Amino acid sequence: MRCLRYQMKNSSRFEFSVLGVLLLFVVWFVVSKLVSSDLVFPGPEKVLLHSYRLLVEGKLLEPVGLTFLRAFFGMGLALLVGTILGFLMGLSERIYLLLQPLNMAIRSVPIVSWLSTVILAWGIGWRGVVFIVFVSLLPIVTFNVCEGVRVVDKKLVEMAKVYSLPKWKIFRAIYMGSVWPFLLSSLKLSIGSMWKVAIVAEYLIGETGLGVQIMQAKFYVNTTEVFSYTVVAVAFGLILEALFSFLWERGSFEVHS
């Protein structure tokens, strides 16, 4: 019975999600008719048809794949460095006081300031995009991992030491058990941000990718193509978030931001 209620709940959620998408397209269609200018606001039917043409002509998958690679590379670096820094800050109060101002400063620096620095350092290219994604996500990962380490029960650690448990077992069973939900919460926040940050960075300093395609379409005043690439970007972003949310709900973790 419990399983049946769960299935009905999921079914209702799916139906409302489909209705929400239909409502979105209806609003989009009505607004496009009110504006009556494809140059300013093309309708959904023209945008979707243009997106299909881009897919058939092979102009879609390559920029999407390149943007994915840079976004995931930047997020992977942020997870690696942020996890190490988070552990150090969580384990040592001195390191926490030493690095916390730096972490807060990185989080507060506007993206345009990082973009200016990257252009001066490397010019345009993929390295700048990866770096922008990295610095945008690093404070999130560091903060969450640090909090996960700081809430570890110190008495539990002391008891494990009394029983002479190996350090790697203490690390895996106690520290990772506490940090894991915080790390997953930072991953969820990062997935929501990395895609948008990567496209913005490509738009301003990239050579290839979805952001560059949007910039070139805007340069030639091809609004329908701008909308097409934007729709593709939104669709892939939603798919990523939906996939992770599905896995998240199965684990029932709490988000820490």
Side-chain angles (χ1 to χ4, degrees):
M1 189 66 184
R2 182 179 179 183
C3 180
L4 178 61
R5 286 200 299 270
Y6 181 72
Q7 289 175 353
M8 291 177 64
K9 183 181 178 182
N10 281 344
S11 175
S12 298
R13 291 176 60 184
F14 177 76
E15 290 172 0
F16 274 96
S17 298
V18 172
L19 288 175
V21 173
L22 290 177
L23 177 63
L24 170 65
F25 278 98
V26 169
V27 172
W28 182 1
F29 180 79
V30 171
V31 173
S32 68
K33 292 303 178 186
L34 291 175
V35 175
S36 298
S37 172
D38 291 343
L39 187 64
V40 178
F41 203 89
E45 72 283 1
K46 295 179 181 178
V47 172
L48 293 178
L49 179 61
H50 193 78
S51 301
Y52 176 73
R53 287 176 183 165
L54 292 175
L55 177 63
V56 172
E57 294 170 1
K59 297 180 180 178
L60 206 55
L61 295 182
E62 183 178 352
V64 169
L66 290 172
T67 303
F68 257 118
L69 283 177
R70 291 159 190 161
F72 275 107
F73 189 22
M75 188 182 72
L77 287 176
L79 286 173
L80 176 63
V81 178
T83 300
I84 295 172
L85 292 178
F87 260 99
L88 293 175
M89 293 173 66
L91 291 172
S92 170
E93 185 67 19
R94 292 179 179 177
I95 295 178
Y96 177 84
L97 295 174
L98 187 66
L99 296 183
Q100 181 63 0
L102 176 63
N103 191 44
M104 294 176 65
I106 292 175
R107 185 170 53 186
S108 302
V109 173
I111 290 182
V112 290
S113 300
W114 288 120
L115 287 169
S116 302
T117 305
V118 166
I119 291 174
L120 292 173
W122 297 319
I124 62 173
W126 66 271
R127 289 184 298 179
V129 177
V130 171
F131 179 79
I132 295 298
V133 175
F134 167 71
V135 294
S136 300
L137 304 183
L138 180 64
I140 299 174
V141 179
T142 303
F143 172 80
N144 277 277
V145 173
C146 177
E147 289 301 307
V149 174
R150 288 166 71 91
V151 298
V152 168
D153 189 348
K154 298 299 184 297
K155 293 181 179 178
L156 193 61
V157 176
E158 291 299 324
M159 186 175 69
K161 290 180 179 178
V162 169
Y163 285 97
S164 302
L165 283 179
K167 290 183 179 179
W168 69 270
K169 280 191 175 181
I170 297 175
F171 173 79
R172 189 186 66 178
I174 299 178
Y175 282 102
M176 284 309 298
S178 173
V179 168
W180 187 240
F182 289 82
L183 190 59
L184 286 179
S185 73
S186 66
L187 183 60
K188 182 178 183 180
L189 294 170
S190 299
I191 285 178
S193 301
M194 72 164 189
W195 186 237
K196 290 179 286 189
V197 172
I199 292 174
V200 170
E202 284 180 344
Y203 184 91
L204 295 170
I205 60 171
E207 290 180 310
T208 55
L210 268 180
V212 174
Q213 297 299 323
I214 293 174
M215 183 270 293
Q216 290 178 348
K218 172 249 178 185
F219 181 79
Y220 291 108
V221 200
N222 190 341
T223 311
T224 303
E225 190 155 308
V226 170
F227 272 60
S228 296
Y229 282 118
T230 303
V231 166
V232 171
V234 170
F236 275 95
L238 291 176
I239 290 172
L240 273 178
E241 291 192 31
L243 180 61
F244 191 84
S245 294
F246 172 75
L247 298 173
W248 182 272
E249 289 176 1
R250 290 173 66 89
S252 300
F253 294 114
E254 182 183 357
V255 177
H256 305 268
S257 60

